[in-house]
Amino acid sequence: MKKVLFATTALIATAGMAAADVRLSGYGRFGLDYNSANETVVGRSETNITSRLRLQFDMSTEADNGVGFNARYRAQAESRDGTAGTGAFNGARFGVTYGGLAVNVGNIIGAVENAPGLYTTGTRSAGTGIDGMGFHSLAIKSRTGTPFNWDAYSSAGAGSNGIEALYSAGGFTGHVSYSQRNGGLVAGTAGGEDRTGIMVTYSFSDYYVSAAAQSSSVAANDINFFAAGGDFGAFGARLAYGSTDAADSVTLEGNMDIGAASNILVWVNSTDVSGVVTAADTADGTSFGINYQYDLGGGATFVAGYVDEADRSEERRVGKECRSRW
């Protein structure tokens, strides 16, 4: 039996720094987290150390005809909620750019993930506190919380191994992504899950509106998302809505600069789980959170957060983050 393999390749660099730009960046964060939900977990304390160290490698070069080639690769180690520290390299992402068009393959960004207004505005973790605290602020919900059932760049895993195209012109950005998860039981048949995502956004002055959707061969992973937000001097606001077959969810957020170095952000999320609601449907109801951060200078930031989940468990997380580029 012959095995036949066809492949096309784009070689980013073979001659070291003279042929390509290689950048090393990263950040570290550490602090304390208090999570009242841990009182129900055998052998786990309610108060624990939370930490993360990330190193990121970005490589890029440009051909004589103006076509750019790039790749991204990460190494990350972290610990949170009393779990043992873990470390891993992730799957690589490769890209080709020309003008306002970018095409990526591998560990892709994902169209829904890239929608403005999906995450909190300007916070260090893109959620609440030092490490996101479960990202309950996101307006995409399952019956038990934020499902993360859309394609997204993975910092510690292989990622979606998909393909995507992004195009930007003026204030418009469009993004289409596709991934296929193999897993069928019949030889030569994928039989896993196909995901197609689309996102469009328009930014004007300090404001934006965005819409995103994901269609999946697994009905539970179909998503619709809409958001709008903007800055009003020292103040900012965001309104987001997400819909899945499990729940409809709305998030309202406001933030305010305090002096030149600090910012406070408050959000509230209301989620309605579809059908008959039971005690297991912990996402049903209202959640809210507060994030405070203070710029210490030199790339260091003090961050503190508080979240009250819909199931009434509480979390408080404080810490310091340092970001650097080498």
Side-chain angles (χ1 to χ4, degrees), residues 140-143 147 149 214 216-224 241-249 271-276 281:
I140 299 176
K141 290 290 192 290
S142 67
R143 304 186 76 91
N149 58 340
Q214 177 177 276
S216 171
S217 57
V218 176
N221 292 335
D222 288 344
I223 296 168
N224 293 298
Y241 166 78
S243 176
T244 67
D245 71 341
D248 292 326
S249 184
T271 297
D272 293 322
V273 170
S274 61
V276 178
D281 298 323

Side-chain angles (χ1 to χ4, degrees), residues 124-145:
R124 285 298 196 177
S125 65
T128 312
I130 192 70
D131 60 5
M133 298 171 67
F135 296 92
H136 298 281
S137 58
L138 272 67
I140 299 176
K141 290 290 192 290
S142 67
R143 304 186 76 91
T144 56

